[in-house]
Amino acid sequence: MKNVIVYPGSFDPVTYGHLDIIKRALAICDRLIVAVSSNPTENHLFSSKERVLLLKETTKGAKNVDVKEFDGLLINFLERKGAKIIIRGLRAVSDFEYEFQMVLTNRKLNEKIDTIFMMPTEKYFYLSSSLIKELATLGADISKYVPEFVEKKLKEKISYAKSQKKAF
Ligand code: ADP
């Protein structure tokens, strides 16, 4: 039986921090499903379709990575895919409490599903999609933190958002 791992998140947008976790996850599974949350109550810069596209583009070299959109309960998504392991990235201590709560909640829904955590390389330890969006809005150089394709799409998105604001 194949060892399938699911890596869920918003990925708004994907950064080198996410890609670092993807690379580490691939070393311990046969197939990795990156599950992009399309929960409409969350406020995202990129639509779920765009976030999927950015991930597909940046992982296109990796054969055993699938990028899928999901809504509703993550546990149901894993059950549909026949997966038993969730992977999450762990950064500075601030991630811990929320993740701890999620693991216990998911375990109540299906105790056969477990979560494993991986730490990124040090230079991405403080990197988040929100930080990237903030830096890009302020015109900072983000090329060290996101692939070129993502940087380009982010700049387009931000300049479009700024032009829309001007119209009011
Ligand atoms: P979510 O809204 O689910 O937290 P994110 O896209 O912010 O979605 O994060 C998805 C997963 O990737 C989480 O497990 C998060 O901890 C991890 N992650 C995000 N950025 C990094 C990073 N720089 N290094 C390691 N893991 C990261």
Side-chain angles (χ1 to χ4, degrees):
M1 205 171 96
K2 292 226 163 167
N3 167 18
V4 182
I5 293 187
V6 173
Y7 180 28
S10 318
F11 306 98
D12 186 36
V14 55
T15 68
Y16 281 139
H18 295 123
L19 294 173
D20 181 290
I21 299 299
I22 290 176
K23 195 179 80 193
R24 289 173 201 280
L26 280 174
I28 56 162
C29 69
D30 301 306
R31 179 173 167 230
L32 180 71
I33 306 176
V34 183
V36 178
S37 144
S38 63
N39 192 339
T41 58
E42 288 168 18
N43 204 1
H44 295 121
L45 179 64
F46 290 97
S47 70
S48 48
K49 299 270 176 296
E50 290 170 326
R51 286 178 278 133
V52 165
L53 189 135
L54 291 177
L55 269 157
K56 281 195 170 157
E57 180 62 30
T58 46
T59 58
K60 67 182 175 196
K63 271 200 297 295
N64 9 352
V65 177
D66 272 346
V67 184
K68 301 270 181 232
E69 204 179 312
F70 84 99
D71 61 2
L73 282 176
L74 175 62
I75 291 296
N76 292 347
F77 178 81
L78 268 96
E79 286 166 353
R80 284 201 300 276
K81 299 288 173 195
K84 294 206 163 44
I85 304 171
I86 299 169
I87 192 163
R88 297 280 289 173
L90 205 56
R91 289 163 293 180
V93 274
S94 56
D95 275 342
F96 184 77
E97 279 210 12
Y98 172 74
E99 296 296 340
F100 189 72
Q101 202 178 22
M102 282 313 295
V103 172
L104 295 182
T105 309
N106 284 333
R107 192 168 281 165
K108 284 208 176 87
L109 296 169
N110 184 336
E111 64 175 21
K112 292 200 177 113
I113 291 180
D114 253 306
T115 305
I116 58 174
F117 293 95
M118 278 191 168
M119 272 170 61
T121 186
E122 256 173 86
K123 64 181 171 191
Y124 303 137
F125 204 55
Y126 293 96
L127 180 56
S128 68
S129 299
S130 340
L131 181 72
I132 287 304
K133 286 181 276 191
E134 212 172 309
L135 287 175
T137 309
L138 297 170
D141 176 14
I142 53 164
S143 58
K144 276 200 216 105
Y145 307 118
V146 293
E148 209 177 324
F149 182 72
V150 177
E151 186 182 356
K152 186 171 158 274
K153 293 287 173 199
L154 193 51
K155 282 184 179 158
E156 283 170 17
K157 191 62 128 183
I158 287 168
S159 73
Y160 177 72
K162 282 186 178 161
S163 73
Q164 290 300 98
K165 260 195 190 156
K166 268 190 202 139
F168 291 104

